[in-house]
Amino acid sequence: MSARDKFHNVVKSALQKDGWRITHDPLLIRIENITDMYIDLGAEGIINYELYSAIA
């Protein structure tokens, strides 16, 4: 597992303030008989289509 960088807690806090739920910290992805990979955060949240379609 890699070390957390200086932005890890800042990003995590920002996601939580925006209504996201942190599901894994870190998120483990296991590929059977090949390798294990860790991703910094696993999160889930609702994305407002109207808000993001106006940006795009």
Side-chain angles (χ1 to χ4, degrees):
M1 183 173 3
S2 62
R4 293 183 173 142
D5 62 19
K6 62 184 178 182
F7 300 108
H8 180 87
N9 289 330
V10 173
V11 171
K12 183 177 176 179
S13 177
L15 286 170
Q16 290 172 324
K17 286 180 182 177
D18 198 35
W20 290 76
R21 185 173 70 93
I22 303 301
T23 58
H24 298 84
D25 184 11
L27 172 62
L28 169 64
I29 297 179
R30 177 166 282 146
I31 301 174
E32 190 174 325
N33 298 324
I34 298 175
T35 190
D36 291 344
M37 294 185 290
Y38 290 93
I39 297 175
D40 287 339
L41 292 170
E44 63 181 20
I46 297 173
I47 298 174
N48 184 335
Y49 172 77
E50 293 175 2
L51 174 67
Y52 288 99
S53 65
I55 296 171

